[in-house]
Amino acid sequence: MKAKHLVLALMMVLIISAIPLFAAGKDIIYASDSTTKTLDPHDTSDTYSGAIERAICQGLLGFDKNLNIIPLLAESYTYNDSATEFTFKLRKGITFHDGAPFNAQAVKVNIDRLMTGKYVRSSLMAPVKEVKIIDDYTVKFILKEPFGAFLNALAHPGALMLSPKALQEYGDNVSKHPVGTGPFMFSEMVSGSYVLIKKNPNYWRGTVKVDSIKFVPIPENGSRVAMLRAGQAQYIYPMPAELLKLVENDPNIDVIKQPSIIERYLILNTKSKPFSDERVRQAINYALDKKAIINIAWGGAATEADSIFPSALPFFKKQGPWPYDLAKAKALMKEAGYENGFKVVFLTPNASARLRATEMVQQQLKAIGITGDIQSMDVASFYDKLAKNKLETVGETPFIAFGGWSSSTGDADWATRPLISTEAFPPNMSNYGFFEDKTVDNLIKAGLTTADPKVRANAYAQLQDYVWSKAPWGYLFVDTLIAAKSKNIKGIYPMADGAFTVEEAEIVQ
């Protein structure tokens, strides 16, 4: 297997070397396994697109490279003890890329848009009752009820500010014409091919050190590595772990490794008859040899999941990985009346590692009689397909989908509510398996009724204890992030949620 990848990578070096270099002078090419279909931050569901949007747009708050909340377009904020009123003082003298002023009215236009409920990220502002303009540079958010994770919600890329002028001109077609206040300005997007951004010469935080960054989707692992080695890309993510030896001794390449908050799991549509039975879902978890999947499909760059969200998030409580126990899995299938198994459709993005992991899952589940064909597609199409499922029809075809999630607010709320609450059924959020449980809903709500960390910790501890055995997913693993870059590139940082920041990008000679 490794020899095959090595040969492929070397062949790609020869092929790609014939392609004219884009990156010259102060231009950077970032190659990823993902694609983007929209650059409207209010209507974006994937981390990759959100990261590109954060280079163009900014929010009142944001995250540093360690996922600590920092003020951005807001210079300061205060909130009351009950976490129902949040007041923000805005920075003065900032303009959007199209010359529109950033002020309290611009904030209200953006939040009101989110509050319509029309967009993928509208749920971030669901707690908001009203946004009041106090003066040109002061806004107050009044919430319907206490919401302890509201600052994290505002720091999420789904709450980025778009130019009111652009929103008026383009409407929802702003997805192809994003205008923000960030270090880079949108230049061009070719669907399924690339996104190009160019430096903002009037950036309010200072000089941008590179002229442009081009984001290119390269789902095949060997091809990304070949591009990096040939100088056709200066930064790649993810760096495939199985090809590390190919680049670790390259004097022109640096490898970056760090823990993540990205958890991988199998989405099971719990409204279909087999997966509505908790015993079947438990059987799947016992039948998964997660260590083998990590080592073979993921190159060892992960750790087994031991709760419904990763240990790097606040309020994590260790549950312990589900053991690989084929006998127990078969017994549960028999008990549930599925001794002879059943057929499903396996859905997966076509990125190399995810496709290999799904192929291994397909092979492993044959041992308990679960069989079916794999349907693969690009990442954006995969999530688009899941988001279009409807409650009325989702149960008609049992499916197992290779999912993944990073809590981009850096909080336990966003690791749970969008994935397993009843309110998160598509198209509202990302409970693509339509898992429904009143106890879960109540515990999620309890974790948001206050900003008191002790109260929140107790609610999320109970939630993790309760959900783990309910097995709404086939639990897999938590990624170790691996990226690779040319040695002369500085200032591009991978973030624990699988995103990246490029504001400080620099090419050094």
Side-chain angles (χ1 to χ4, degrees), residues 260-504:
S260 85
I261 57 169
I262 304 171
E263 184 152 337
R264 308 286 180 177
Y265 50 88
L266 302 178
I267 301 165
L268 312 172
N269 63 331
T270 59
K271 295 302 180 185
S272 68
K273 191 174 180 181
F275 298 134
S276 61
D277 192 317
E278 184 178 308
R279 294 167 296 183
V280 173
R281 304 195 302 266
Q282 291 173 339
I284 286 172
N285 278 281
Y286 282 120
L288 293 170
D289 186 347
K290 292 168 286 294
K291 290 180 180 177
I293 296 172
I294 290 170
N295 290 331
I296 297 171
W298 230 249
T303 56
E304 288 185 75
D306 54 6
S307 187
I308 56 173
F309 57 80
S311 61
L313 287 173
F315 312 127
F316 167 82
K317 184 181 180 185
K318 185 180 178 66
Q319 304 296 310
W322 280 68
Y324 175 53
D325 189 335
L326 204 51
K328 180 69 173 175
K330 290 179 178 178
L332 282 166
M333 289 288 283
K334 183 176 181 179
E335 183 181 324
Y338 294 100
E339 185 176 6
N340 296 322
F342 52 86
K343 287 191 173 184
V344 301
V345 175
F346 291 92
L347 302 173
T348 182
N350 60 6
S352 298
R354 300 184 221 195
L355 180 55
R356 279 204 307 275
T358 304
E359 289 169 346
M360 291 190 68
V361 167
Q362 180 192 41
Q363 289 296 319
Q364 290 178 4
L365 294 186
K366 279 184 180 179
I368 58 172
I370 299 176
T371 61
D373 295 329
I374 293 176
Q375 293 181 11
S376 66
M377 60 207 78
D378 65 80
V379 176
S381 297
F382 170 77
Y383 283 108
D384 186 56
K385 182 179 180 69
L386 291 175
K388 288 180 178 177
N389 281 331
K390 296 181 180 179
L391 179 61
E392 298 78 15
T393 57
V394 71
E396 294 175 359
T397 304
F399 67 77
I400 296 176
F402 185 86
W405 185 262
S406 61
S407 180
S408 297
T409 66
D411 188 84
D413 165 62
W414 204 247
T416 52
R417 184 167 54 93
L419 301 178
I420 54 174
S421 70
T422 305
E423 69 174 289
F425 287 178
N428 296 336
M429 288 184 271
S430 303
N431 186 349
Y432 299 129
F434 291 85
F435 178 71
E436 184 175 4
D437 189 296
K438 289 184 178 179
T439 300
V440 169
D441 290 340
N442 290 336
L443 288 171
I444 287 173
K445 187 174 182 179
L448 293 171
T449 55
T450 176
D452 185 333
K454 290 184 180 179
V455 177
R456 299 192 71 208
N458 180 58
Y460 288 114
Q462 292 183 60
L463 177 63
Q464 290 168 88
D465 290 343
Y466 179 79
V467 172
W468 194 239
S469 63
K470 293 290 179 182
W473 309 323
Y475 303 110
L476 293 174
F477 49 83
V478 176
D479 286 7
T480 299
L481 296 183
I482 308 179
K485 67 179 183 68
S486 300
K487 278 191 180 293
N488 66 338
I489 298 295
K490 291 185 177 180
I492 300 180
Y493 303 110
M495 300 176 72
D497 65 349
F500 47 84
T501 175
V502 297
E503 180 172 335
E504 298 175 21

Side-chain angles (χ1 to χ4, degrees), residues 57-329:
C57 305
Q58 296 170 304
L60 300 183
L61 306 176
F63 294 106
D64 64 16
K65 60 186 178 182
N66 298 312
L67 284 186
N68 298 309
I69 293 177
I70 57 172
L72 282 177
L73 296 179
E75 62 181 14
S76 64
Y77 56 87
T78 57
Y79 53 90
N80 62 3
D81 291 339
S82 61
T84 57
E85 293 186 0
F86 294 75
T87 303
F88 294 83
K89 293 288 185 181
L90 309 180
R91 297 186 191 275
K92 298 177 180 179
I94 297 175
T95 58
F96 289 93
H97 300 151
D98 59 5
F102 170 73
N103 52 27
Q105 182 61 36
V107 174
K108 183 170 174 56
V109 166
N110 277 268
I111 301 304
D112 284 352
R113 182 176 189 249
L114 277 164
M115 288 173 63
T116 62
K118 287 174 53 180
Y119 305 97
V120 170
R121 294 308 188 194
S122 286
S123 60
L124 289 167
M125 295 300 116
V128 179
K129 178 182 179 181
E130 183 183 4
V131 180
K132 280 191 174 182
I133 296 177
I134 307 302
D135 58 45
D136 284 349
Y137 293 97
T138 309
V139 292
K140 177 183 282 189
F141 290 76
I142 300 172
L143 308 190
K144 301 170 186 174
E145 57 188 4
F147 190 79
F150 189 62
L151 292 178
N152 297 78
L154 280 173
H156 189 281
L160 294 173
M161 298 286 121
L162 290 161
S163 163
K165 181 180 176 182
L167 286 170
Q168 185 174 17
E169 180 177 354
Y170 298 113
D172 287 347
N173 207 35
V174 76
S175 61
K176 299 176 182 177
H177 305 277
V179 180
T181 60
F184 292 89
M185 304 169 65
F186 172 75
S187 177
E188 184 181 12
M189 177 171 70
V190 177
S191 182
S193 183
Y194 66 84
V195 173
L196 177 64
I197 58 177
K198 295 185 177 181
K199 74 176 181 181
N200 176 6
N202 302 308
Y203 184 43
W204 64 274
R205 296 182 82 179
T207 303
V208 180
K209 297 178 181 178
V210 298
D211 292 335
S212 72
I213 303 177
K214 190 175 188 179
F215 300 93
V216 184
I218 307 293
E220 205 287 313
N221 282 348
S223 301
R224 283 197 307 282
V225 174
M227 287 183 70
L228 180 66
R229 300 193 73 208
Q232 297 292 326
Q234 287 67 49
Y235 198 105
I236 66 170
Y237 173 78
M239 168 64 214
E242 74 274 13
L243 296 177
L244 275 175
K245 289 183 180 179
L246 193 66
V247 300
E248 284 178 331
N249 296 322
D250 190 319
N252 298 312
I253 294 175
D254 286 331
V255 174
I256 303 162
K257 296 181 184 180
Q258 66 182 55
S260 85
I261 57 169
I262 304 171
E263 184 152 337
R264 308 286 180 177
Y265 50 88
L266 302 178
I267 301 165
L268 312 172
N269 63 331
T270 59
K271 295 302 180 185
S272 68
K273 191 174 180 181
F275 298 134
S276 61
D277 192 317
E278 184 178 308
R279 294 167 296 183
V280 173
R281 304 195 302 266
Q282 291 173 339
I284 286 172
N285 278 281
Y286 282 120
L288 293 170
D289 186 347
K290 292 168 286 294
K291 290 180 180 177
I293 296 172
I294 290 170
N295 290 331
I296 297 171
W298 230 249
T303 56
E304 288 185 75
D306 54 6
S307 187
I308 56 173
F309 57 80
S311 61
L313 287 173
F315 312 127
F316 167 82
K317 184 181 180 185
K318 185 180 178 66
Q319 304 296 310
W322 280 68
Y324 175 53
D325 189 335
L326 204 51
K328 180 69 173 175

